[in-house]
Amino acid sequence: ETQPVGDVAKGKSTVEFLVPDITTPTPLSIELLAPGGHPLAAKKLDWQPQKKWSIYACEFSHQDLGFGDYPHRLRTSIRHGNIERALRFCRETDAWPEDDRYRFNIETSEPLTSFISFHGKEAARELARRMREGRIHLGAAHNTAATELLGHELMARFFYMSGRHAVDLLGVPPGKTLLSIDVIGLT
């Protein structure tokens, strides 16, 4: 492959050029040719593959963002709003390649029933479909709690909404991931 580099300054200089991506170490020969085609410099080396990166972005799902507001505003503008935006972003990325489609974690199951009550059956069906697709995930805990204060019965009920009720209500897989963002004393 030949790539024009333009004028090369006298003395030490740097010129960037592209090397095709490889998956295994490969011998590479580099030559700097004069306009007439005769070699001015040459170097041989073993070229190593570039590191392949996977970058994951997690949409913010913390349920008490903006906790300084009135409780009814917190529920509708933050908790319901997070789910509304997640559904909209899922729709907007439906045509994208599978790995690039929008995904969202609902931190806890607490806003689920009020979201469904407030938004109706159509929104509930869409939410359930997105959860079955694996695009929206429901956290395993009902809410944040200082778990060292919970007995066995309350601890079992702590997982009921995402582990059983949402499963029966929406026909979705149970929540399996516990996001513990600011729970002090999680035991």
Side-chain angles (χ1 to χ4, degrees):
E1 181 173 327
T2 302
Q3 297 179 23
V5 295
D7 293 333
V8 178
K10 184 177 180 180
K12 187 175 182 177
S13 63
T14 302
V15 176
E16 292 185 18
F17 59 94
L18 301 175
V19 176
D21 190 27
I22 56 172
T23 57
T24 59
T26 304
L28 177 68
S29 297
I30 302 170
E31 292 182 308
L32 181 61
L33 305 175
H38 64 280
L40 298 174
K43 177 145 182 130
K44 292 185 179 200
L45 58 126
D46 287 328
W47 194 251
Q48 300 299 316
Q50 278 188 315
K51 181 173 180 161
K52 306 298 187 249
W53 292 88
S54 293
I55 299 173
Y56 302 94
C58 180
E59 173 64 33
F60 193 88
S61 65
H62 192 48
Q63 68 175 4
D64 62 4
L65 175 66
F67 221 20
D69 211 336
Y70 294 106
H72 69 282
R73 289 186 186 157
L74 173 67
R75 178 173 303 282
T76 56
S77 65
I78 304 301
R79 293 181 183 163
H80 291 182
N82 282 344
I83 299 171
E84 291 165 6
R85 281 185 292 281
L87 291 171
R88 179 170 48 102
F89 294 158
C90 283
R91 287 189 298 273
E92 289 175 2
T93 61
D94 276 340
W96 293 15
E98 179 63 31
D99 288 344
D100 298 339
R101 293 179 186 168
Y102 185 81
R103 287 165 173 75
F104 183 74
N105 292 304
I106 302 173
E107 182 184 10
T108 66
S109 63
E110 186 275 333
L112 193 64
T113 53
S114 64
F115 175 82
I116 291 169
S117 295
F118 190 79
H119 289 80
K121 290 181 182 179
E122 196 57 42
R125 280 192 279 275
E126 182 182 11
L127 178 60
R129 180 169 57 88
R130 298 304 183 175
M131 292 170 78
R132 284 190 297 272
E133 288 173 355
R135 305 256 314 267
I136 293 181
H137 176 79
L138 182 62
H142 179 66
N143 211 327
T144 57
T147 56
E148 72 275 8
L149 301 176
L150 302 180
H152 291 100
E153 178 68 20
L154 287 176
M155 191 64 119
R157 290 174 186 249
F158 191 57
F159 302 100
Y160 179 76
M161 175 61 93
S162 63
R164 178 61 194 266
H165 187 61
V167 174
D168 293 342
L169 181 67
L170 299 173
V172 298
K176 295 181 180 175
T177 303
L178 174 66
L179 297 172
S180 177
I181 295 177
D182 63 353
V183 181
I184 55 170
L186 184 66
T187 53

